Amino acid sequence: MQPKLYLHSSFFLLFLLFAANVPAQPGGSKVFFPEGNNTKIYSLFKNNNGCLLAGCSNGLYNFNGTHFTKIETNKPAITDTVTAIFQDNKNELWAGFKSGRIAATINGKLTYLDPEEGTPKKRITAFIQDRLNNIWFSTRGE
């Protein structure tokens, strides 16, 4: 019986030795940079359709698993960092920016809102919708 125990132990040790060199997942990774490698991602959001949205240092992007597509705004000359992303119960997207600006999708385009009272001077950090369908936002320090 002793030789069998050593034989089993030997096979177990060989298994551990070879298993240590086998990756748990397929090797390799892919790095995706929207519009160049200087872009930084500040916020991520998974929408109701399962798409991943990335709030970046130069705008809002939709990621389909392979490519980033920039979501155009009504003011393309403005480049601002997206710091908060939200989808309301009507499936409209909202984006908050480092500058305090707020944008929402209107007719399929991300449109900056210009309320009479103005927008905050600090970055937008989050959005929430209440039972009366009001959209609330928070800022950092204001």
Side-chain angles (χ1 to χ4, degrees), residues 79-140:
T79 56
D80 200 354
T81 301
V82 177
T83 55
I85 307 167
F86 178 72
Q87 187 172 32
D88 65 20
N89 62 8
K90 295 178 184 174
N91 291 327
E92 298 295 332
L93 286 177
W94 293 74
F97 297 88
K98 188 175 183 179
S99 65
R101 290 186 185 102
I102 297 172
T105 49
I106 299 173
N107 298 325
K109 190 173 241 182
L110 198 60
T111 304
Y112 286 99
L113 304 178
D114 296 315
E116 286 181 35
E117 61 276 3
T119 57
K121 303 299 179 225
K122 302 283 185 173
R123 86 173 71 180
I124 307 298
T125 57
F127 291 95
I128 193 166
Q129 187 170 19
D130 66 18
R131 284 183 258 160
L132 300 175
N133 295 326
N134 297 309
I135 304 293
W136 297 81
F137 63 89
S138 61
T139 64
R140 183 168 187 216

Side-chain angles (χ1 to χ4, degrees), residues 7 22 39 42 44 91 109 112 141:
L7 188 59
V22 176
T39 300
Y42 286 87
L44 292 172
N91 291 327
K109 190 173 241 182
Y112 286 99

